[in-house]
Amino acid sequence: MRSLRESCIRHGLLTSASISILTSFGILFILIKESLPFFEDVSPWEFLTGTNWAPLMVPRDYGVIPLVVGTLLVTGVAALIVIPVGSLAAMYLSEYASSRARRILKPTLEVLAGIPTVVYGYFAITVVTPALRAVIPGVEVFNALSAGIVVAVMIIPTVASLSDDAMRSVPNALREAAFGLGATQKEVTVGVVYPGAISGVMAAYVLAIGRALGETMIVTMAAGSTPLLTLNPLDSVQTMTGYIVQVSLGDTPAGTPGYMSIFAVGLLLFVITLSLNLFRIWIQRRYVRYDT
Amino acid sequence: MKNPVIPRTVLEARNLSIHYGDSAAVSGVSLKIPEREVLAIIGPSGCGKSTLLRSFNRMNDFIDSCRFEGELLFEGVNIYGPNIDPVELRQRIGMVFQRPNPFPKSIRANITWAPRMAGYLGDYDELVERTLREAALWDESKDKLDKSALSLSGGQQQRLCIARSLAMSPEVLLMDEPCSALDPIATGKIEELIRGLREQYTVVIVTHNLQQAGRISDRTAFMYQGDLIEIDQTDRLFTQPAKKKTEDYITGRFG
């Protein structure tokens, strides 16, 4: 009787654990299945190398590069902000803050991570964009810079909190060794703790960049919907996620190449974030780990 | 007859007491450590010997609850006085810890890291070779200076940590049970090394191992429950202790 119950529990737990894995495979399967008809009309080569994205107009054009560059532009702006700010915040939390300051700051930071992205989107168009337009001439109403800044704000808590965890896992013996040699707090933090935590810190960066790549609401609201091929962050761009939203909400009839293109774009985004995550796992295995 | 040379005092504790919160770790200790002496501090666990050692280069500063009374003079200056920069102090009073704690960097970088921070202007290759020789690690490591320090054995890592401290040219080297995590062969090598260091450095070593204190030190201090019970020439302390407590401890009646 007991063994039956144990076996039920065991299988119940296994099922729960399987759900997310099976869902991931299901998503991948749907993405591939739905994008196959698209790739019958448009060659993958044309899709991946074309520099004009106009799937809803005539003549149609399916070069995905403007969307990829738009995504990378927003992500790049976010990364340029989040890597220094998140790292410095983590250094403060882990090495400088008193235990009291830490007890208050760390949970506060983690609350920030729970704000709905639509709120961040409003923040971008009502605060950040007007501020940018007041300071920098030539900023469009919708622009990659504003979206990138707000995406960075959204992921700073992730980077700060995960990097803080990684730095705190560096054994105290290494800090003592460095202080014992007459190093300053800054030298210990930058020269010993940060490099000692590098695998965890890099993993935090990559995780955050992955979130920036897949971020949808902020970029849809703030970056615009013009798939222009540009590297100027003051211009309006469209990201891969932004395009998928636009078509999903619009009146593009199902079954047309324009509609099916969202699966191809989704598949490409999936491949990019998957490679990023594999890269993260590789980094985490590559560097020193402390088991103490 | 020449007058006996009176060695200069490097470190001096005057009525030194250290508390963690409400409990006293060290109470009213006074002692003088002359230049180029190897002083061993012995005593049972919790007697305050490590706390005393760590107060010599202000490594207790990082413990919030740690309070300090009395005076501790280094070269005649109270190191807990105003205008004392603990960073500069620790460059002159180095420390080797219980467990080997090399940085996860190359052997070479372990040695050059702190001198580089401090703006050392000499030749770095020469510094690496000299300190590794002083720490009796050169022959074993000269062909793999750019390999990770973590690839060394525990005993080699501890000798690297000693070399790393010597690279700052400290006047005093504090050692907190440096052999407690090592096997007897590695311990023997470190002891031999410490005997050699006496030529140039003042060494204060905390140890659990009475035989070790007997083998390597000029003088030995015995601490018990925060008090300095007795300090004397090592051979005299071990053969004719002045205090009953000392005799009980070294004959193994408690400990």
Side-chain angles (χ1 to χ4, degrees), chain B residues 3 7 54 81 98 129 183 195 208 212 228 231-232 243 255:
Chain B
N3 286 328
R54 295 166 74 92
Q98 238 181 72
E129 178 170 347
D183 64 50
R195 279 196 295 267
H208 249 110
Q212 181 171 67
L228 176 63
I231 176 166
D232 207 340
K243 299 280 169 63

Side-chain angles (χ1 to χ4, degrees), chain B residues 225-245:
Chain B
Q225 293 185 343
D227 295 317
L228 176 63
I229 305 292
E230 186 171 351
I231 176 166
D232 207 340
Q233 301 298 324
T234 297
D235 44 8
R236 196 153 47 197
L237 186 126
F238 279 104
T239 52
Q240 317 154 23
K243 299 280 169 63
K244 180 77 170 54
K245 263 266 142 12

Side-chain angles (χ1 to χ4, degrees), chain B residues 193-205:
Chain B
L193 159 61
I194 293 169
R195 279 196 295 267
L197 293 177
R198 180 201 270 120
E199 312 274 309
Q200 288 183 63
Y201 306 93
T202 305
V203 177
V204 186
I205 177 169

Side-chain angles (χ1 to χ4, degrees), chain A residues 189-211:
Chain A
T189 305
V190 176
V192 174
V193 177
Y194 182 84
I198 196 69
S199 66
V201 170
M202 293 287 279
Y205 294 163
V206 176
L207 185 75
I209 288 170
R211 284 193 59 197

Side-chain angles (χ1 to χ4, degrees), chain A residues 98-99 172-188 190-192 195-196 288 290 292, chain B residues 54 57 59 62 64 86-87 90-91 93-95 97 101-105 110 113-114 117-118 150 164-165 168:
Chain A
S98 67
S99 57
N172 229 5
L174 291 183
R175 289 182 188 86
E176 286 201 322
F179 279 121
L181 288 165
T184 62
Q185 176 73 67
K186 184 214 106 193
E187 288 160 357
V188 174
V190 176
V192 174
V288 230
Y290 306 103
T292 45
Chain B
R54 295 166 74 92
N57 69 342
M59 288 298 284
F62 303 108
D64 288 340
V87 167
R90 293 186 200 115
Q91 292 177 353
I93 304 182
M95 188 152 202
F97 298 84
N101 54 359
F103 300 128
K105 303 174 190 281
N110 262 276
W113 183 74
M117 292 294 161
L150 303 179
R164 178 175 69 179
S165 293
M168 291 300 288

